Amino acid sequence: DGGITQSPKYLFRKEGQNVTLSCEQNLNHDAMYWYRQDPGQGLRLIYYSQIVNDFQKGDIAEGYSVSREKKESFPLTVTSAQKNPTAFYLCASSAEFWGAVSNQPQHFGDGTRLSIL
Amino acid sequence: QKEVEQNSGPLSVPEGAIASLNCTYSDRGSQSFFWYRQYSGKSPELIMFIYSNGDKEDGRFTAQLNKASQYVSLLIRDSQPSDSATYLCAVNAAGGSQGNLIFGKGTKLSVKP
């Protein structure tokens, strides 16, 4: 079955520690995204990538880093510089956006819940 | 600042009724509009998308778009308790980051048996 796999489902971070969240897709999608969701809030974009070896900052990139070495993988590292990392992290992907008319829908993985120890 | 506004609810409707969820957006250049359903503790699930003015129907769901009024809505006919969830409206960001979506904070729907 095609889909987006996020792991782990739950993650705990110690003070001063960097942690990495995994996101893998087998949909052959070009674009991948990372969002953060806080309780009662909408999704906020952290980073996105439209092609391998290229990525762009979203609205709240500070304290996070990403890489896109393979089309199917887009891991997110939450660094120690992110002082309030507790949130629900969602990875999404979409087929390539070609023109100025319409976006392809984004599809989401099951998410990773990150908490501070 | 590009914004997507939704009434946070909760919107409570009896089983079998029509639920009407509304969304307004600030960017006139937006071209693509999406509705996601998110059950508590789960990730968002795409249920409808619409690109042109007018109505688009899919089963019990109808999306309505009015670009002149910058308004998009979702109607759920014959509402079921299983429709109880938070519904997120998302709109594409026009301009240089057209691939990106701006999400509203969601409307919580409760369908009472």
Side-chain angles (χ1 to χ4, degrees):
Chain A
D1 278 332
I4 302 169
T5 301
Q6 290 188 243
S7 63
K9 191 170 183 178
Y10 298 96
L11 187 58
F12 299 91
R13 196 192 84 172
K14 294 179 183 177
E15 190 93 22
Q17 185 182 39
N18 293 351
V19 293
T20 297
L21 285 60
S22 172
C23 179
E24 304 275 334
Q25 55 99 359
N26 61 4
L27 300 167
N28 199 33
H29 283 171
D30 287 291
M32 297 186 74
Y33 310 82
W34 273 106
Y35 293 91
R36 168 180 173 143
Q37 188 176 36
D38 294 281
Q41 300 295 314
L43 278 64
R44 292 185 291 168
L45 183 64
I46 304 173
Y47 268 99
Y48 64 101
S49 169
Q50 293 178 325
I51 196 170
V52 174
N53 292 321
D54 185 56
F55 49 82
Q56 306 295 328
K57 291 182 179 180
D59 298 320
I60 56 164
E62 186 174 348
Y64 301 97
S65 66
V66 293
S67 63
R68 186 88 186 276
E69 297 176 2
K70 298 186 295 183
K71 185 176 183 177
E72 58 270 24
S73 179
F74 191 39
L76 173 74
T77 296
V78 184
T79 75
S80 57
Q82 174 47 247
K83 297 306 180 187
N84 184 23
T86 298
F88 188 36
Y89 289 87
L90 290 157
C91 178
S93 71
S94 66
E96 187 173 354
F97 172 73
W98 283 104
V101 178
S102 303
N103 291 68
Q104 296 291 334
Q106 293 183 17
H107 299 272
F108 288 86
D110 289 339
T112 293
R113 291 196 180 277
L114 175 62
S115 302
I116 298 178
L117 274 179
Chain B
Q1 180 78 359
K2 300 172 183 175
E3 293 182 339
V4 174
E5 299 285 344
Q6 294 181 256
N7 188 327
S8 62
L11 173 66
S12 184
V13 300
E15 185 174 356
I18 296 175
S20 178
L21 304 162
N22 304 315
C23 173
T24 59
Y25 59 96
S26 63
D27 194 337
R28 286 198 169 273
S30 294
Q31 298 287 340
S32 307
F33 307 86
F34 305 88
W35 283 99
Y36 288 84
R37 177 176 62 200
Q38 187 174 25
Y39 291 114
S40 181
K42 302 295 186 183
S43 64
E45 171 193 9
L46 179 71
I47 52 172
M48 289 286 290
F49 58 89
I50 186 167
Y51 300 143
S52 303
N53 274 330
D55 294 0
K56 179 181 179 182
E57 188 174 316
D58 183 1
R60 295 186 297 112
F61 298 98
T62 298
Q64 298 176 317
L65 175 61
N66 183 327
K67 290 184 181 178
S69 300
Q70 295 176 241
Y71 177 92
V72 57
S73 64
L74 179 70
L75 301 178
I76 307 175
R77 290 182 300 282
D78 188 24
S79 295
Q80 301 296 309
S82 60
D83 294 326
S84 297
T86 296
Y87 288 80
L88 303 175
C89 173
V91 175
N92 83 292
S97 54
Q98 288 171 318
N100 297 343
L101 297 182
I102 304 168
F103 284 82
K105 294 182 179 180
T107 297
K108 188 171 184 178
L109 173 66
S110 177
V111 181
K112 303 295 186 184

